[in-house]
């Protein structure tokens, strides 16, 4: 099984124009239980997510597969961010993956083999593809220059664009849009996003012209220079045990 | 009615919330390693307070529940991780959880879990089923719990969870001291029988959260697992799983994709 599989194995839940995911609507008693638990539990880590970013990502094994993503970003410190990534900004959005974002200073400390899995954000931000919906430009501008220098590592666990109604298959590495032919986001995807938020990616690009172009580390965006992407395989293996399993 | 009884527990518990929250701030996981990097600058923090107030966070607001459980690597049971799940319902049959290494403000996001009811698990392709694990043992065993929620309320939900299957992927191998999320995603498994959970880890969690797995076991005797029994292909099909990275050929970066021509 590989993240690059075209389609997961046949299953009643992977085909047809039916809602994703399958299943019964949430019952009232579940909602009440949830509400009650929510009152008694503090959910602190989740409250640390203080930014919503809407942007685009490309599958590392097939750059023609592109998705609009919604990152809910939490900060661990000035150099490290962690994001829960969803396929929309609605309450019932599907959780499709996790992205980590680090400063150039930390990126440089990574081993070379690790660096290849990370992507740069400079083009994504300068081109206007990366937006903070609802935030006035003057507020977001100062931090965007910092963000533009960062590197991201994004794992996708639910290939909704493939038609998967449940999270199937191996996790997939994602890359960021890049200023080369294969790295550009399809205009229809951008247009749909812009219409939804009543923004113009083009105008944002113009307003971000003065954001400094950072120097991108040669090992980031590996595919651009090497014409090689990455896939993740899941294989049976012997489990080291300290007790019988299962 | 069960729900009405639970309601009175809610009221009693609201009073306990403050002291619980204070206790929680001392609940650091034992293998905590500092994340490299500078402390957050004031300007950055201010901006994020602003964006946190202005923007919408609907998908995050759908997260209503904190569950604590244990995972181990699908290729290595000896490497065990305390996993704090923050879960939301997509519908009655599917939940999705963010997994952190602690319940604290500075917790690291280390993975994701999806939870589905038995009927949906059964529709998964046979090569997918091994990536999922059963919850029956860890629920009945008392090892999976909802910090801060009284047993009676907790059990109402655990009754459902007991019959579900989960798929867990971790991205940050905190148990081996990684300062950053290095390497490739790891498929994880969960407890399926006595003797698997490391005793020190168990005792540490019991102490920090003021729970007793043995007591929970007693209270959960009437919970039942999947109606059709645990599927033989679940839990890594009884063997184990590993992930590998592979380079793949892709069209040259400068070649023109059809859609733009």
């Amino acid at each position: 099984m590989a993240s690059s599989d075209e389609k997961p194995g046949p299953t009643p839940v992977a085909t047809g124009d039916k809602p994703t995911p399958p299943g019964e609507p949430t019952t009232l008693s579940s909602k009440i239980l949830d509400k009650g638990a929510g009152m008694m539990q503090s959910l602190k880590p989740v409250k640390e997510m203080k930014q919503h970013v809407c942007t685009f990502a490309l599958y590392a094994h097939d750059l023609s597969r592109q998705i609009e993503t919604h990152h809910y970003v939490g900060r661990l410190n000035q150099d490290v961010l962690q994001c829960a990534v969803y396929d929309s900004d609605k309450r019932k959005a599907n959780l499709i993956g996790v992205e980590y974002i680090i400063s150039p200073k930390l990126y440089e400390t990574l081993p070379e083999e690790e660096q290849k899995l990370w992507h740069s954000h400079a083009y994504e931000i300068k081109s206007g593809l990366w937006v903070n919906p609802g935030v006035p430009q003057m507020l977001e501008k100062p931090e965007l220059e910092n963000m533009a220098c960062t590197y991201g590592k994004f794992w996708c666990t639910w290939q909704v664009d493939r038609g998967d109604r449940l999270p199937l298959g191996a996790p997939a590495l994602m890359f960021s849009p890049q200023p080369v032919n294969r790295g550009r986001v399809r205009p229809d995807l951008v247009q749909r996003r812009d219409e939804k938020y009543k923004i113009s990616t083009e105008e944002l690009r113009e307003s971000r012209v003065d954001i400094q172009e950072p120097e991108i580390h040669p090992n980031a965006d590996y595919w651009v220079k090497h014409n090689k992407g990455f896939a993740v395989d899941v294989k049976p293996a012997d489990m080291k045990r300290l007790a019988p399993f299962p | 009615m069960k729900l009405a009884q639970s309601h009175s527990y809610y009221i009693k518990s609201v009073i306990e919330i403050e002291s619980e929250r204070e206790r929680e701030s001392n609940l650091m996981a034992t293998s905590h390693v500092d994340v490299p990097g500078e402390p957050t600058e004031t300007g950055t923090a201010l901006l994020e307070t602003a964006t946190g107030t202005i923007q919408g966070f609907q998908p995050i607001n759908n997260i209503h529940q904190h569950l604590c459980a244990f995972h181990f690597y699908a290729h290595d049971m000896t490497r065990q991780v305390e996993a704090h799940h923050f879960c939301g319902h997509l519908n009655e049959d599917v939940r999705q959880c963010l997994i952190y290494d602690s319940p604290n403000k500075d917790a690291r996001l280390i993975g994701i879990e999806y939870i589905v009811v038995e009927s949906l698990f059964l529709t998964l392709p046979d090569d997918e089923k091994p990536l999922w694990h059963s919850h029956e043992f860890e629920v009945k065993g008392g090892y999976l719990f909802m910090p801060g929620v009284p047993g009676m309320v907790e059990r109402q939900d655990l009754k459902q969870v007991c019959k579900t299957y989960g798929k867990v992927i971790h991205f940050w191998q905190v148990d081996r001291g990684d300062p950053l999320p290095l390497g490739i995603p790891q498929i994880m498994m969960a407890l399926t029988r006595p003797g698997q959970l490391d005793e020190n880890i168990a005792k540490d969690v019991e102490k920090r959260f003021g729970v007793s797995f043995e007591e929970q076991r007693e209270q959960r005797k009437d919970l039942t697992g999947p109606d059709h029994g645990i599927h033989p292909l679940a839990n890594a099909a009884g063997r184990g799983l590993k992930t590998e990275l592979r380079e793949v050929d892709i069209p040259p970066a400068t070649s023109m994709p059809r859609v733009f021509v």
Side-chain angles (χ1 to χ4, degrees):
Chain A
M1 165 187 285
S3 61
S4 50
D5 290 344
E6 268 201 39
K7 269 228 169 302
T11 157
V13 301
T15 54
D17 201 14
K18 301 193 204 88
T20 290
E24 295 305 308
T26 315
T27 59
L28 183 60
S29 58
S30 282
K31 288 186 189 170
I32 293 176
L33 274 173
D34 264 2
K35 250 301 185 263
M39 278 165 54
M40 289 179 256
Q41 301 184 303
S42 63
L43 310 180
K44 281 190 199 141
V46 167
K47 294 199 164 68
E48 290 305 301
M49 280 179 263
K50 297 186 178 155
Q51 265 195 78
H52 166 213
V53 172
C54 175
T55 182
F56 298 88
L58 289 44
Y59 283 84
H61 64 272
D62 181 356
L63 299 157
S64 68
R65 283 187 52 203
Q66 308 180 336
I67 55 174
E68 175 187 310
T69 63
H70 292 265
H71 286 55
Y72 292 86
V73 187
R75 183 175 286 278
L76 282 173
N77 62 36
Q78 192 61 26
D79 298 73
V80 184
L81 298 145
Q82 49 192 17
C83 320
V85 187
Y86 293 83
D87 64 349
S88 87
D89 59 1
K90 302 282 170 276
R91 195 165 62 89
K92 296 298 188 180
N94 298 313
L95 175 61
I96 60 170
V98 167
E99 177 162 352
Y100 299 97
I101 297 176
I102 61 177
S103 62
K105 188 179 79 186
L106 286 186
Y107 181 77
E108 268 151 42
T109 66
L110 300 175
E112 193 177 317
E113 284 309 297
E114 176 64 36
Q115 288 178 332
K116 293 178 183 172
L117 303 178
W118 296 69
H119 57 263
S120 64
H121 287 131
Y123 169 72
E124 207 176 325
I125 288 176
K126 283 186 68 82
S127 66
L129 289 170
W130 165 304
V131 310
N132 281 65
V135 178
Q137 270 186 55
M138 65 169 180
L139 253 194
E140 65 171 9
K141 206 59 177 314
E143 284 304 318
L144 277 186
E145 192 146 322
N146 287 333
M147 273 304 187
C149 303
T150 60
Y151 296 86
K153 184 183 198 186
F154 179 2
W155 297 107
C156 170
T157 49
W158 191 341
Q159 299 195 34
V160 185
D161 66 308
R162 188 171 65 178
D164 295 3
R165 294 176 67 220
L166 283 175
L168 304 171
L173 182 67
M174 307 297 282
F175 279 137
S176 57
Q178 294 297 323
V180 287
N181 294 331
R182 294 267 161 193
R184 296 199 191 276
V185 179
R186 278 184 6 237
D188 61 302
L189 288 180
V190 181
Q191 189 181 16
R192 190 174 66 191
R193 191 277 297 271
D194 283 2
E195 269 162 25
K196 183 162 57 186
Y197 289 111
K198 304 201 185 351
I199 57 172
S200 157
T201 296
E202 179 112 14
E203 271 174 34
L204 284 172
R205 181 163 53 241
E206 276 156 33
S207 76
R208 293 177 186 178
V209 137
D210 57 337
I211 290 181
Q212 200 177 28
E213 189 80 50
E215 201 184 307
I216 296 173
H217 195 285
N219 288 337
D221 312 318
Y222 186 74
W223 64 275
V224 174
K225 290 201 197 85
H226 299 93
N227 301 322
K228 291 241 190 251
F230 293 104
V232 173
D233 295 321
V234 175
K235 297 184 170 163
D238 286 319
M239 180 195 286
K240 184 169 170 194
R241 294 160 195 222
L242 50 81
F245 179 88
Chain B
M1 251 185 78
K2 277 207 180 119
L3 237 38
Q5 279 177 296
S6 308
H7 187 63
S8 65
Y9 274 88
Y10 293 172
I11 295 174
K12 276 191 216 152
S13 300
V14 163
I15 299 166
E16 288 172 342
I17 287 176
E18 273 314 308
S19 51
E20 182 59 43
R21 283 182 181 167
E22 262 189 54
R23 247 180 290 151
E24 270 189 49
S25 63
N26 298 320
L27 298 174
M28 294 287 280
T30 47
S31 59
H32 192 79
V33 167
D34 282 324
V35 179
E38 297 304 311
T40 307
E41 288 166 15
T42 312
T44 309
L46 275 174
L47 171 69
E48 289 175 1
T49 303
T51 56
T53 317
I54 301 170
Q55 294 187 294
F57 292 84
Q58 285 185 48
I60 301 298
N61 294 338
N62 195 44
I63 297 174
H64 284 146
Q65 185 186 54
H66 169 206
L67 275 175
C68 179
F70 302 92
H71 296 153
F72 51 83
Y73 292 78
H75 62 276
D76 190 348
M77 186 196 283
T78 68
R79 290 179 57 197
Q80 308 191 345
V81 183
E82 176 186 327
H84 291 269
H85 302 58
F86 292 85
C87 315
H89 280 269
L90 274 176
N91 61 34
E92 189 61 21
D93 300 339
V94 182
R95 305 182 202 206
Q96 48 192 21
C97 319
L98 295 174
I99 301 176
Y100 290 83
D101 66 342
S102 89
N104 303 324
K105 206 165 93 108
D106 61 355
R108 293 168 289 190
L109 176 59
I110 62 174
I112 284 180
E113 177 158 0
Y114 298 99
I115 298 176
V116 304
V117 296
E118 183 181 13
S119 54
L120 286 183
F121 172 80
L122 293 173
T123 68
L124 299 174
D126 280 356
D127 66 346
E128 173 70 30
K129 290 188 173 86
L131 279 67
W132 296 70
H133 59 270
S134 54
H135 287 129
E136 180 175 355
F137 176 75
E138 53 181 329
V139 171
K140 286 182 70 88
Y143 304 103
L144 188 158
F145 63 100
M146 293 169 58
V149 179
M152 186 161 174
V153 176
E154 192 189 25
R155 278 191 295 284
Q156 296 233 28
D157 196 34
L158 291 183
K159 209 166 53 181
Q160 329 268 21
V161 177
C162 201
K163 293 170 170 303
T164 59
Y165 290 86
K167 180 179 190 179
V168 178
I169 302 176
H170 278 201
F171 311 106
W172 195 335
Q173 299 188 45
V174 295
D175 67 295
R176 68 175 184 192
D178 286 3
L180 287 173
L182 308 172
I184 60 176
Q186 302 292 312
I187 309 293
M188 308 296 280
M189 288 289 136
L191 304 172
T192 56
R193 71 161 80 196
Q196 290 172 351
L197 181 60
D198 176 281
E199 272 189 31
N200 293 323
I201 293 181
K203 286 204 175 81
D204 182 53
V205 169
E206 282 180 305
K207 181 159 153 226
R208 280 165 34 234
F209 291 90
V211 297
S212 155
F213 297 142
E214 199 175 319
E215 260 172 47
Q216 286 308 308
R217 254 195 304 284
E218 279 304 306
Q219 315 256 12
R220 298 180 190 183
K221 282 202 160 121
D222 60 336
L223 266 47
T224 54
D227 296 333
H228 295 89
I230 294 172
H231 197 284
L233 287 179
N235 303 308
R239 192 183 157 198
L241 291 168
K242 65 174 178 189
T243 49
E244 279 179 5
L245 188 71
R246 174 172 43 96
E247 277 195 17
V248 299
D249 289 320
I250 55 173
T254 49
S255 65
M256 190 61 96
R258 250 179 302 134
V259 89
F260 291 106
V261 172

